[in-house]
Amino acid sequence: MNWNRAFSGIMSVVFFFSTTQLAYAEDFGLLNDIRPPQQTSEYIFRSSPKESLISVQLLGAVNKPGIYYIPVNTDLLKLLTLAGGSNNGGDISEILVRKAEPKAWADINTKAVNEYQGAYEVDAEKILKYGGARQLKLAQDDFVYVPPRTPWISTEASRNITIVSVVLGIVLTAVLIQDNTK
């Protein structure tokens, strides 16, 4: 009889928290991963007033995404440096570069650059480690995307695991209390 009462009490607590989870999610910081979209800007970098500039779009997990007007011989790593590098969630091992001229980097012979359907995937970590950045010159209207790092476990799965572990902890505590009070 006491076991049924304890179990129904635990289930009512779980039901209460599951129905009010979204209402109080803001207070407990559960919705911290929801952010407004980043605003893009335009940046101009030149070393002399007569220097020719090209425009390149840089988006994704970088500190300053936007349209960059850069000198003609700027390479990919210099662009990332001008953008303040990747933010904490940026994965520089999988940078995607869509060239305006699809075969522009076809002659690059390195394991850090892979062509895939007209776009290039660049492992900037390998470029930094082994060199070869000077080959990765950007051209007018190139598009560069730094993807966010994918976590090993999603936020929703982490929340579900936390809820299940709390419920199991409560149930096991109730069972231990029940057994020790006899």
Side-chain angles (χ1 to χ4, degrees), residues 149-165:
R149 288 196 189 275
T150 54
W152 289 6
I153 185 167
S154 71
T155 307
E156 187 172 329
S158 175
R159 287 182 195 147
N160 291 338
I161 290 170
T162 302
I163 290 171
V164 167
S165 64

Side-chain angles (χ1 to χ4, degrees), residues 88-106:
N88 290 338
D91 187 3
I92 63 168
S93 67
E94 296 181 355
I95 298 172
L96 298 174
V97 180
R98 170 78 60 185
K99 301 288 291 170
E101 187 179 313
K103 297 294 179 186
W105 287 358

